[in-house]
Amino acid sequence: MNLKNLEKRLTYLAANAIRDYRMIEDGDRIMVCLSGGKDSYGLLEVLRLLQARAPVRFELIAVNLDQKQPGWPEHVLPEYLDNLGVSFRILEQDTYSVVKRVLPEGKTMCSLCSRLRRGALYSAAAEMGVTKIALGHHRDDLIETLFLNMFYSAKLGTMPPKLRSKDGRHVVIRPLAYVPEKYLQRYADLREFPIIPCNLCGSQANLKRAEIKRMIQAWDAEDPKRLNMILRSMQNVRLSHLADTDQFDFESLRGKVASDMPDPVTGEQDPFVGLVKPLEEEPAL
């Protein structure tokens, strides 16, 4: 796929996600979080392409958080953004030292680093008066997170295409939610983005996310339609066909009560009280 066709595909997928989740509205002031990786570069360029042709007006401000990692090339992003003519701001916060001090050697740093980075970006967003915070997570990130949560946290959830922060002050959007990672890699290669590798967490070996990534890449190689089917399944959730009693009222689903059994609706004791034992772990085979 050449550059022109690839950009058409990227903007088509991003525009669909933006439309489906009403990510961008007229007059939005959008913070584009730029890390120096292929995904955030791709996000900025796709939004710039859409900005030129969108039926609504919105402003883009690229923001990078300099976490004071050793060897971080401070000049790369400012020079790149200056050449593009994009408004930008570089934040400086030594989260690197915090992470290295708090976590023992060999411990996965991604979670703590992400929380610190998110806090810094949210504070800057409030100060700058932005209405949306755009992140570069793509389709494969959403799918990887789904399986990470299932396999290692026993919960069913992922990164939503659009969300409100816990404090209610910010709206986060992921315009690349429909975009396969391989498209962004191809785009980065064709555009020759000045990629800055992460030396904090991205270089750690044997991360669980890397294991999941290998799994879904194998699935993609086996059947190119499979990952899109997984994405579509996240958009077609049937709570009554899962098993979460907090999300669906299973208790109200009652059959006909036998004549010789106390009716639970009348307030009499449920005939199963005392008979149900806590679920135990399955014995080892």
Side-chain angles (χ1 to χ4, degrees), residues 8-284:
K8 285 182 179 179
R9 188 62 181 166
L10 289 171
T11 52
Y12 171 79
L13 292 171
N16 280 347
I18 290 169
R19 180 200 62 214
D20 289 349
Y21 296 96
R22 291 196 64 181
M23 293 185 190
I24 298 177
E25 298 166 287
D26 191 50
D28 267 340
R29 180 176 168 86
I30 302 173
M31 172 192 285
V32 183
C33 298
L34 198 63
S35 67
K38 71 180 191 311
D39 303 333
S40 61
Y41 278 123
L43 171 66
L44 178 61
E45 289 305 308
V46 167
L47 288 178
R48 290 179 68 236
L49 290 169
L50 291 174
Q51 186 183 38
R53 65 188 74 162
V56 297
R57 296 173 297 101
F58 58 92
E59 181 183 356
L60 299 175
I61 306 168
V63 174
N64 169 255
L65 176 61
D66 181 352
Q67 299 176 268
K68 299 304 177 183
Q69 296 172 223
W72 178 261
E74 297 179 357
H75 65 285
V76 171
L77 287 174
E79 289 179 1
Y80 175 78
L81 295 168
D82 270 333
N83 289 333
L84 285 182
V86 172
S87 298
F88 70 93
R89 180 173 173 183
I90 305 296
L91 309 175
E92 296 187 11
Q93 184 171 321
D94 190 1
T95 61
Y96 177 84
S97 295
V98 175
V99 172
K100 296 294 285 185
R101 183 180 70 251
V102 172
L103 295 181
E105 192 68 29
K107 184 75 173 178
T108 300
M109 302 174 182
C110 296
S111 178
L112 176 58
C113 180
S114 178
R115 290 199 302 273
L116 294 172
R117 186 170 62 247
R118 184 165 57 245
L121 292 171
Y122 283 179
S123 295
E127 177 189 335
M128 297 165 61
V130 304
T131 57
K132 305 283 174 59
I133 300 173
L135 302 179
H137 298 120
H138 46 68
R139 180 202 67 179
D140 297 23
D141 285 326
L142 271 61
I143 294 172
E144 288 167 16
T145 303
L146 174 71
F147 286 104
L148 275 170
N149 282 328
M150 290 174 63
F151 293 172
Y152 301 108
S153 299
K155 63 182 179 182
L156 196 59
T158 187
M159 302 172 176
K162 181 181 180 181
L163 64 85
R164 187 174 295 279
S165 61
K166 289 182 180 179
D167 62 10
R169 300 174 63 192
H170 308 287
V171 174
V172 176
I173 59 174
R174 295 182 169 97
L176 303 181
Y178 294 172
V179 176
E181 182 177 18
K182 58 189 176 185
Y183 287 5
L184 292 166
Q185 183 61 65
R186 173 65 173 164
Y187 192 46
D189 293 341
L190 290 174
R191 289 293 307 271
E192 298 183 337
F193 293 139
I195 302 298
I196 306 175
C198 176
N199 296 319
L200 182 59
C201 58
S203 60
Q204 287 183 286
N206 302 317
L207 293 177
K208 291 183 174 65
R209 183 172 288 275
E211 297 175 13
I212 298 295
K213 182 182 289 291
R214 287 192 292 271
M215 179 185 77
I216 70 168
Q217 285 176 341
W219 288 350
D220 189 41
E222 181 180 324
D223 181 0
K225 296 181 180 179
R226 184 174 297 176
L227 298 190
N228 276 338
M229 293 298 287
I230 295 172
L231 177 67
R232 288 175 61 187
S233 74
M234 289 190 275
Q235 300 172 305
N236 187 26
V237 177
R238 302 184 182 187
L239 294 177
S240 64
H241 287 57
L242 294 173
D244 190 336
T245 56
D246 291 330
Q247 301 298 324
F248 187 81
D249 185 11
F250 291 99
E251 186 177 355
S252 67
L253 303 179
R254 299 178 182 274
K256 184 176 180 181
V257 180
S259 58
D260 59 343
M261 182 179 291
D263 186 351
V265 179
T266 64
E268 297 181 24
Q269 183 176 346
D270 191 317
F272 291 99
V273 171
L275 298 181
V276 179
K277 298 180 179 180
L279 186 66
E280 298 178 354
E281 293 186 6
E282 294 186 10

